[in-house]
Amino acid sequence: MMFHLTLLFFLTVHKINQSPRVLPNITLGYNIYDNFLNARITYEVMMDLLSTGQENVPNYRCGRQKNLLGVLEEMDTEFFDHISTFLGIYKIPQISFGVFSHIPEPKHNFPFFYQMTPKQEPPNSAIVQLLLHFQWTWISLLSQDNERGENLKKLHWFLRNFQLHNTSRDGIYLDENGIPTADFDIVNWKPSSKNSVPWVKVGSIEREASSEVKLSINQSAILWPISFGQVVPSSRCTESCYPGHAKVMIEGTPVCCYDCSLCMEGTFSEKEDAAHCEKCPDDQHSNEKRDQCIPKVITFLSYKENLGLILILFAFALSITTAFVLGIFIKYRETPIVKANNRDLTYILLIALLLSFLTSFLFMGRPKKVTCLLRQTTFSIIFSVAVSSLLAKTVMVVVAFLATKPGSMMRKWLGKSLAVSIVLSCSGVQVGICLVWLGISPAFPDFDLHSQPGQIILQCNEGSVTMFYTALGYMAFLATICFMVAFLARKLPGTFNEAKWITFSMLVFCSVWISFVPTYLSTKGKYMVAVQIFSILASSLGLLGCIFIPKCYIIILRPDMNTKEHLMMKSYVGS
């Protein structure tokens, strides 16, 4: 026995002898031998132990009497057979407190052998559970280099009902083979200082806490209680990948060596060491940790959010302003400045601008079937009417100027018929385009699951993209023609100088819509809708401000300039 076990043995015998309740009127004695793992010495020890006299002669009683109760030993070698053979003859119990790598079989060959250590099957099962839990992949098994190592598998009738207690105070019973049925205890023991380095011995392995494994030449199999704190022995060269990550294999390294990569947006992993990340359903997206999927947020340009509220207030204010300007021109319809600029076309243009501001409301809120059908087609037709009215006003300016020349054939074109025909024909083409659009591929409510991470964008699918850009292209064609005619007529006499303002208004109009196309294509979701609403409001405001603000200034603040004499004088000076 080791020295510290010898001291424990001394203490136990002393306590028993001092206690009147354990073995009353009986005093225990003991002999301690060391066989030095040698067969000859083992036989000599057994001869001396079984001989009662001075000489090692068994079966002969002479001299002092020694009542041998039992033999304590911790052998797990071939010497076990030698000891059991001797003790079995004299029916002396052989009690082993060593860890056996096997169960002596058959039992009738060793009827007086008692094993005080538990079966090895439960620890083996526990070791398997540890391997699975910590996912150890490098495993080494060590055993004795003998026949017992190849077959890994000192009760006496009066010990069969024997019961003892372990450190957890649970009862332990011995089965019919003299082996305790209880499992091992786990003791948490921490060293008091860094210098007191604990060791673990399992079989013939020694391991220092937080250190590398070393081989031991000792034949004993003793497990010392130890705690590694937060350090768990590992046979892997990398930490486990947490949920939300996936393994990335490293070329040229063992399978247990890998990197961990965070799952991409829209994918997730719930378990440790996931081989790959799984894709979230279309209506869900991965959370920040990428370890689960959560529902996407439904979004659209709402009246309640700041951007939508600002645009709606802006559209409402401009609609009120346009209605106010229209009221002024109706009230002062008999004044020279209103008559000089073709008041019927002016009314049509103001109504078209008022409706264009109001079309912004069709683009706001949750997309519905009706609003999706109406918003693009209504916007296209109304803007075509507005631009056609400007084109008609510009053409009428040119015709009126040419008609003043003597013998001009343009006099017959003067009148409402030319202006109305221009407006109807030019806007009628846009109406035809929109009808074809509605007939072959109308717009409908739709949702976009992929443009914005974590969002389901409710939007209107325009149906035919070709028809959408055809309508925009035709409107751009009308604006370009109107701009060119107004530019050529900008230097006509003062009575007809409205062409100057039309030129500038169309320059603003074209600039807004030229910048609209790339901006519209580069945005997604509700911001795409916001860009179109802003373009509608900005271009309509450009027409309203450039053409009608100067006239309102004269009508309201300078009525002295709103006379036929003043207009004729400006025309004369201009010519």
Side-chain angles (χ1 to χ4, degrees):
M1 294 189 294
M2 293 184 178
F3 179 69
H4 69 283
L5 295 179
T6 304
L7 294 179
L8 290 176
F9 177 77
F10 288 161
L11 178 61
T12 302
V13 173
H14 177 71
K15 290 293 185 180
I16 292 175
N17 291 335
Q18 293 294 322
S19 175
R21 293 180 298 176
V22 179
L23 294 176
N25 300 323
I26 295 177
T27 301
L28 294 179
Y30 51 83
N31 290 341
I32 298 177
Y33 299 92
D34 191 348
N35 65 353
F36 298 99
L37 299 179
N38 183 276
R40 182 181 63 82
I41 297 178
T42 301
Y43 278 110
E44 291 180 356
V45 167
M46 297 307 300
M47 292 287 290
D48 183 70
L49 184 63
L50 297 174
S51 299
T52 59
Q54 299 297 325
E55 299 296 333
N56 291 338
V57 182
N59 292 331
Y60 183 74
R61 296 176 176 268
C62 182
R64 62 185 176 88
Q65 298 295 320
K66 293 188 290 186
N67 296 322
L68 186 60
L69 297 179
V71 176
L72 298 177
E73 56 88 16
E74 58 169 344
M75 292 296 161
D76 190 21
T77 65
E78 61 272 14
F79 305 118
F80 165 82
D81 298 336
H82 308 324
I83 297 176
S84 296
T85 301
F86 267 94
L87 297 180
I89 295 174
Y90 295 93
K91 299 182 180 181
I92 298 175
Q94 177 187 1
I95 304 172
S96 176
F97 56 89
V99 178
F100 268 70
S101 60
H102 74 295
I103 299 177
E105 294 180 355
K107 177 63 179 174
H108 62 268
N109 292 335
F110 308 99
F112 300 97
F113 167 73
Y114 303 95
Q115 180 180 346
M116 304 308 296
T117 53
K119 291 182 179 180
Q120 297 304 300
E121 287 81 358
N124 293 340
S125 176
I127 290 174
V128 172
Q129 295 298 322
L130 288 175
L131 296 177
L132 295 176
H133 178 75
F134 293 112
Q135 299 183 4
W136 290 334
T137 54
W138 293 354
I139 306 168
S140 296
L141 298 178
L142 287 85
S143 63
Q144 295 177 343
D145 188 15
N146 54 28
E147 183 178 355
R148 291 179 179 175
E150 295 291 333
N151 301 302
L152 290 177
K153 299 182 181 182
K154 326 117 195 81
L155 283 169
H156 213 257
W157 65 270
F158 56 85
L159 288 177
R160 290 189 177 182
N161 296 323
F162 182 72
Q163 179 181 356
L164 56 97
H165 294 274
N166 59 5
T167 56
S168 63
R169 307 188 67 84
D170 296 329
I172 298 179
Y173 298 88
L174 306 181
D175 63 11
E176 65 276 6
N177 295 318
I179 300 175
T181 58
D183 205 344
F184 286 103
D185 284 342
I186 299 178
V187 180
N188 184 17
W189 178 76
K190 297 183 179 179
S192 58
S193 65
K194 294 182 178 180
N195 294 328
S196 55
V197 180
W199 291 80
V200 175
K201 294 184 180 180
V202 182
S204 57
I205 294 182
E206 289 184 349
R207 182 176 188 123
E208 185 179 0
S210 304
S211 179
E212 62 182 4
V213 175
K214 303 177 181 178
L215 292 178
S216 169
I217 61 174
N218 296 333
Q219 294 297 322
S220 59
I222 300 173
L223 178 64
W224 288 96
I226 184 173
S227 172
F228 285 98
Q230 299 299 323
V231 180
V232 177
S234 176
S235 64
R236 301 166 56 178
C237 54
T238 185
E239 292 289 339
S240 296
C241 291
Y242 294 113
H245 295 74
K247 296 193 296 186
V248 178
M249 305 309 298
I250 304 175
E251 186 176 357
T253 60
V255 293
C256 61
C257 298
Y258 47 80
D259 288 333
C260 299
S261 176
L262 182 66
C263 293
M264 298 177 60
E265 171 63 35
T267 62
F268 74 103
S269 65
E270 294 180 312
K271 300 179 180 179
E272 289 187 350
D273 291 333
H276 61 276
C277 299
E278 299 182 12
K279 188 178 182 298
C280 290
D282 288 339
D283 60 343
Q284 299 181 7
H285 72 110
S286 53
N287 61 349
E288 185 177 355
K289 294 182 178 180
R290 306 288 199 271
D291 57 358
Q292 62 177 330
C293 292
I294 57 178
K296 291 182 178 179
V297 178
I298 298 177
T299 180
F300 54 90
L301 189 58
S302 172
Y303 299 97
K304 298 180 180 179
E305 59 182 303
N306 293 334
L307 178 60
L309 183 61
I310 291 173
L311 291 175
I312 286 300
L313 292 177
F314 195 32
F316 183 76
L318 291 177
S319 301
I320 296 298
T321 303
T322 306
F324 179 72
V325 173
L326 178 60
I328 292 175
F329 272 74
I330 293 175
K331 181 178 181 181
Y332 295 94
R333 63 183 178 278
E334 299 299 332
T335 60
I337 195 170
V338 176
K339 290 182 177 181
N341 296 131
N342 198 325
R343 60 185 176 187
D344 292 333
L345 290 178
T346 300
Y347 296 154
I348 294 175
L349 177 58
L350 283 172
I351 293 173
L353 290 177
L354 175 60
L355 294 176
S356 67
F357 287 128
L358 294 177
T359 56
S360 301
F361 292 91
L362 293 175
F363 291 84
M364 298 293 298
R366 192 183 189 96
K368 298 179 181 179
K369 184 176 181 179
V370 175
T371 56
C372 287
L373 283 173
L374 294 179
R375 66 181 193 176
Q376 294 293 359
T377 54
T378 303
F379 150 73
S380 301
I381 293 173
I382 290 175
F383 262 71
S384 296
V385 172
V387 177
S388 298
S389 301
L390 286 177
L391 178 60
K393 288 172 71 71
T394 307
V395 171
M396 293 304 295
V397 168
V398 175
V399 171
F401 173 74
L402 295 177
T404 58
K405 295 182 179 180
S408 175
M409 299 296 293
M410 292 295 178
R411 292 180 181 272
K412 63 179 180 180
W413 295 103
L414 290 175
K416 296 182 180 179
S417 58
L418 177 61
V420 172
S421 61
I422 292 175
V423 174
L424 291 178
S425 60
C426 292
S427 58
V429 175
Q430 187 71 290
V431 171
I433 293 174
C434 292
L435 289 177
V436 173
W437 186 1
L438 292 175
I440 62 173
S441 182
F444 58 91
D446 196 9
F447 51 86
D448 183 1
L449 298 172
H450 306 292
S451 294
Q452 296 292 331
Q455 295 182 358
I456 298 178
I457 302 173
L458 298 184
Q459 61 184 10
C460 287
N461 189 314
E462 306 304 344
S464 175
V465 178
T466 302
M467 296 304 299
F468 172 69
Y469 285 106
T470 299
L472 286 182
Y474 179 73
M475 188 172 64
F477 170 75
L478 287 180
T480 303
I481 297 298
C482 183
F483 172 76
M484 293 175 63
V485 175
F487 180 79
L488 295 175
R490 74 189 187 282
K491 294 185 179 180
L492 293 178
T495 305
F496 312 103
N497 65 355
E498 190 178 27
K500 298 178 181 179
W501 301 112
I502 293 176
T503 302
F504 187 70
S505 66
M506 294 311 299
L507 183 62
V508 174
F509 183 89
C510 293
S511 300
V512 170
W513 287 103
I514 289 174
S515 61
F516 161 77
V517 175
T519 307
Y520 183 81
L521 294 177
S522 62
T523 54
K524 299 293 182 182
K526 62 182 179 181
Y527 298 104
M528 178 185 291
V529 180
V531 166
Q532 186 165 1
I533 294 176
F534 177 80
S535 300
I536 292 173
L537 298 179
S539 58
S540 300
L541 179 60
L543 298 181
L544 179 67
C546 294
I547 296 175
F548 295 102
I549 295 301
K551 295 181 178 62
C552 290
Y553 171 77
I554 294 175
I555 294 173
I556 302 298
L557 300 179
R558 296 295 303 275
D560 57 304
M561 299 176 61
N562 191 11
T563 61
K564 186 175 182 180
E565 292 77 12
H566 180 75
L567 292 178
M568 294 299 294
M569 181 175 62
K570 287 184 61 179
S571 176
Y572 176 77
V573 173
S575 60

